[in-house]
């Protein structure tokens, strides 16, 4: 305790105890870096703490092989790829950092501000990873830098630990900053934009395109990471379905379920791979309903689009649509059945040698025919399907599948001829996700269909023999979905 209570009269005339002012009140608090005694004192007396970079098993070897592929594609060119930095949220607070996927792919490293340079040399490249070292006892940053000071963020791996874990040459970031003139003519990825600006170099769309192209076919290690992400996601669906009665009963709603999945994802992996979508009733047809501020209604559909991002940063992306109360109405079931039929038509096209986009056309044909049979299309099926029609897309305006990997919409910078315009090959991982989105205010629809939204999304690996639905543990058909819900909720 400091100070002795005295009594003073307050504005309304009552007496109130007050304190004498504490020592040095009225002066400015000193900046600790300006206090030599403090700096000397805080620098000493710390036991060394081991700091493991925490790299997933196999990540270093996978990254080395990715680097070799990138190197082979760019002989004689020095390449610069960066992890990036978290954007400012406000003042000195930043959003959570998540390393650039291309950088992770070539390094296995997720450390903010890091940069890899593949220095061109005759016959190949020399890879050097440049990292901002953590501030440890003896550095002022140890106590004064909230981003890299170990007193703030805990023990952090240094250059030696990174070099050991990744089996790569590691140097301090300052060493690269001193070599900027040597980067004249180098190709900078978009993630290295800041450094490119400092070096007065344009970023290279070609480098990002190369990395994107090379990432389309996953190797065994990547497939294993995706498998783990998908399996963890299936477990997350079970956790969310277990909470549905509570969400309905207590009016906690969509956000409770979103939070349930996000906690699961953050516990099992790095977190959700994209903003978790939970749409009940009229929100189900809203394709990216991430606001999630509505109730969960027992007689309505509940659309869940969720993916765990593994610690390696590979993500799943899975959607199922549930009757929140456990049983589909006849109309809900019919819409679900049509989407299921379109989905199965799409899945049937996922195999080696088939054009990537065929799944899209196969699923769309089923959707257009179904809508026509229900009397919803104002034109013939042929006219709707033609490139100059597309009337059915009013009820399905989004893409119905994409490559999947480190990014939920993976490899989007690839050359068309290599990604969307190419035949499938073993090692491609993609989603198939047709849906029907009947908005509550869509006056072209019969009233009973308004406010129904269904999407079914699976993560699919192209194999030598055909394909494997990685998310196949979740049922696709309406009866299977009802049964699965019952079995999950019994155990909660
Ligand atoms: N699951 C989100 C999306 O594919 O857009
Ligand atoms: Mn998707």
């Amino acid at each position: 305790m400091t100070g002795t209570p005295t009594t003073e009269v307050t504005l309304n005339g009552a007496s109130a105890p007050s304190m004498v002012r504490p020592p040095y009140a009225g002066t400015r608090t000193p900046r600790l870096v300006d206090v030599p005694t403090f700096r000397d004192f805080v620098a000493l007396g710390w036991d060394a703490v081991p700091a493991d970079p925490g790299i997933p098993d196999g990540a270093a070897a996978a990254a080395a092989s990715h680097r070799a592929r990138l190197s082979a594609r760019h002989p004689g060119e020095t390449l610069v790829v960066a992890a990036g930095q978290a954007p400012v949220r406000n003042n000195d607070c930043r959003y959570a950092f998540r390393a650039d996927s291309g950088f992770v792919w070539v390094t296995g490293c997720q450390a903010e501000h890091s940069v890899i340079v593949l220095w061109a040399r005759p016959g190949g490249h020399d890879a050097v990873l440049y990292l901002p070292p953590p501030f440890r006892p003896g550095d002022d940053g140890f106590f004064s830098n909230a981003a890299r000071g170990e007193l703030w963020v805990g023990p952090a791996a240094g250059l030696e630990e990174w070099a050991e874990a990744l089996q790569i040459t590691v140097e301090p970031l300052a060493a690269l900053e001193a070599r900027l003139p040597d980067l004249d003519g180098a190709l900078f990825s978009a993630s290295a934009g800041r450094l490119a600006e400092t070096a007065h170099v344009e970023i290279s769309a070609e480098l990002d395109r190369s990395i994107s192209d090379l990432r389309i076919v996953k190797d065994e290690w990547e497939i294993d990471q995706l498998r783990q992400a998908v399996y963890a996601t299936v477990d997350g669906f079970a956790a969310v379905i277990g909470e549905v009665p509570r969400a309905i009963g207590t009016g906690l709603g969509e956000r409770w379920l979103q939070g349930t999945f996000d906690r699961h994802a953050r516990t099992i992996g790095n977190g959700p791979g994209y903003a978790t979508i939970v749409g009940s009733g009229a929100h189900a047809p809203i394709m990216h309903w991430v606001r999630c501020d509505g109730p969960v209604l027992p007689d309505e559909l509940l659309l869940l689009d969720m993916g765990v991002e593994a610690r390696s940063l590979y993500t799943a992306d899975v959607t199922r649509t549930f009757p929140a109360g456990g049983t589909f109405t006849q109309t809900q079931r019919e819409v679900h059945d049509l989407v299921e039929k379109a989905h199965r038509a799409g899945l049937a096209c996922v195999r080696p040698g088939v054009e990537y986009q065929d799944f899209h056309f196969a699923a769309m044909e089923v959707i257009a025919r179904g809508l026509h049979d229900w009397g919803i299309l104002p034109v013939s099926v042929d006219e709707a399907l033609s490139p100059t029609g597309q009337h059915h897309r009013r009820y399905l305006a989004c893409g119905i599948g994409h490559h999947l990997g480190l990014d939920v919409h993976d490899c989007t910078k690839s050359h068309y001829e290599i990604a969307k315009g190419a035949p499938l090959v073993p090692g491609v991982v993609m989603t198939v996700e047709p849906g029907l989105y009947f908005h509550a205010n869509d006056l072209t629809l019969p009233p009973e269909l308004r406010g129904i939204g269904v999407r079914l999304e699976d993560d699919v690996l192209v194999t030598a023999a055909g394909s494997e639905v990685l998310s196949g543990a979740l049922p696709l058909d309406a009866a299977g979905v009802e049964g699965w819900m019952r079995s999950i909720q019994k155990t909660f």
Side-chain angles (χ1 to χ4, degrees):
M1 283 282 276
T2 56
T4 312
T6 59
T7 305
E8 75 179 23
V9 176
T10 59
L11 276 182
N12 65 8
S15 293
S18 73
M19 312 284 281
V20 293
R21 298 182 74 198
Y24 301 103
T27 66
R28 293 186 91 134
T29 52
R31 290 177 63 224
L32 292 177
V33 284
D34 296 335
V35 184
T37 317
F38 171 81
R39 293 174 63 209
D40 291 346
F41 184 56
V42 79
L44 302 173
W46 302 98
D47 205 357
V49 183
D52 184 339
I55 310 222
D57 284 349
S65 104
H66 299 160
R67 278 198 298 281
R69 290 169 61 202
L70 184 61
S71 167
R73 192 157 161 146
H74 288 276
E77 291 177 306
T78 291
L79 311 174
V80 186
V81 186
Q85 54 281 315
V88 172
R89 188 162 193 245
N90 50 51
N91 301 325
D92 57 348
C93 291
R94 290 179 175 267
Y95 287 97
F97 177 67
R98 198 278 196 186
D100 175 79
S101 297
F103 176 80
V104 173
W105 189 78
V106 288
T107 61
C109 169
Q110 298 180 22
E112 191 171 6
H113 298 296
S114 308
V115 181
I116 187 163
V117 180
L118 301 187
W119 295 100
R121 60 160 164 78
H125 289 85
D126 291 323
V128 182
L129 179 64
Y130 297 91
L131 287 165
F135 291 116
R136 291 183 167 161
D139 303 318
D140 283 349
F142 175 61
F143 59 85
S144 68
N145 187 308
R148 282 166 46 212
E150 289 194 341
L151 213 48
W152 291 86
V153 299
L159 307 188
E160 283 161 28
E161 290 98 339
W162 278 110
E164 170 67 24
L166 293 176
Q167 293 295 298
I168 191 174
T169 305
V170 179
E171 294 185 13
L173 190 57
L176 179 61
E177 283 154 4
R179 286 195 66 182
L180 286 188
D182 297 341
L183 291 174
D184 197 26
L187 302 187
F188 283 71
S189 73
S191 63
R194 267 208 192 168
L195 195 65
E197 223 171 90
T198 317
H200 305 293
V201 177
E202 296 284 304
I203 60 169
S204 153
E206 195 45 40
L207 176 54
D208 284 308
R209 213 167 285 142
S210 277
I211 295 173
S212 193
D213 286 349
L214 291 169
R215 281 169 47 192
I216 290 174
V217 178
K218 275 67 182 174
D219 57 36
E220 283 305 315
W221 182 80
E222 292 180 289
I223 290 167
D224 189 49
Q225 295 305 308
L226 283 162
R227 218 183 266 290
Q228 289 178 31
V230 174
Y231 294 170
T233 299
V234 171
D235 288 346
F237 269 79
V240 169
I241 289 303
E243 289 291 316
V244 168
R246 179 176 179 174
I248 294 172
T250 57
L252 292 167
E254 295 167 342
R255 209 164 278 189
W256 182 261
L257 300 183
Q258 186 185 44
T260 300
F261 186 79
D262 290 357
R263 172 169 50 82
H264 171 86
R266 182 78 181 138
T267 309
I268 304 295
N270 188 53
Y274 52 91
T276 299
I277 297 167
V278 178
S280 166
H283 294 155
I286 301 174
M287 289 175 290
H288 280 181
W289 181 252
V290 297
R291 221 181 295 162
C292 300
D293 59 358
V296 174
L297 304 165
D299 298 330
E300 304 285 347
L301 292 180
L302 176 65
L303 186 151
L304 302 176
D305 181 341
M306 317 189 292
V308 170
E309 180 181 78
R311 303 246 158 134
S312 58
L313 305 188
Y314 287 80
T315 191
D317 177 10
V318 180
T319 308
R320 287 294 185 273
T321 307
F322 299 89
T327 311
F328 288 100
T329 65
Q330 184 58 29
T331 309
Q332 291 168 349
R333 182 182 294 265
E334 282 172 19
V335 177
H336 193 280
D337 286 351
L338 179 55
V339 175
E340 181 199 341
K341 195 172 167 199
H343 187 88
R344 291 189 190 279
L347 284 181
C349 297
V350 180
R351 57 197 150 79
V354 174
E355 289 287 319
Y356 169 81
Q357 302 245 57
D358 280 13
F359 82 96
H360 166 96
F361 294 110
M364 285 301 180
E365 184 184 4
V366 174
I367 292 287
R369 272 189 205 294
L371 291 175
H372 187 264
D373 291 348
W374 290 345
I376 291 170
L377 280 189
V379 296
S380 69
V381 171
D382 285 349
E383 203 175 334
L385 289 174
S386 89
T388 53
Q390 301 293 302
H391 300 72
H392 56 295
R393 299 297 301 275
R394 176 183 177 112
Y395 313 103
L396 175 44
C398 57
I400 59 163
H402 48 85
H403 290 271
L404 185 71
L406 281 161
D407 295 327
V408 57
H409 298 161
D410 211 36
C411 307
T412 54
K413 293 177 178 157
S414 297
H415 291 89
Y416 180 83
E417 307 70 37
I418 291 183
K420 293 189 166 172
L424 292 168
V425 293
V428 166
V429 179
M430 58 186 282
T431 73
V432 174
E433 52 172 313
L436 276 170
Y437 306 96
F438 295 142
H439 288 269
N441 62 339
D442 188 336
L443 303 180
T444 65
L445 294 166
E448 67 273 18
L449 285 180
R450 294 182 200 165
I452 290 182
V454 174
R455 172 161 68 251
L456 298 175
E457 179 174 27
D458 275 312
D459 300 344
V460 192
L461 165 69
V462 181
T463 62
S467 69
E468 178 186 343
V469 180
L470 302 177
S471 44
L474 288 175
L476 256 188
D477 62 297
V481 166
E482 289 174 347
W484 190 76
M485 284 183 82
R486 273 195 301 278
S487 71
I488 298 296
Q489 290 175 347
K490 240 190 327 206
T491 63
F492 265 69

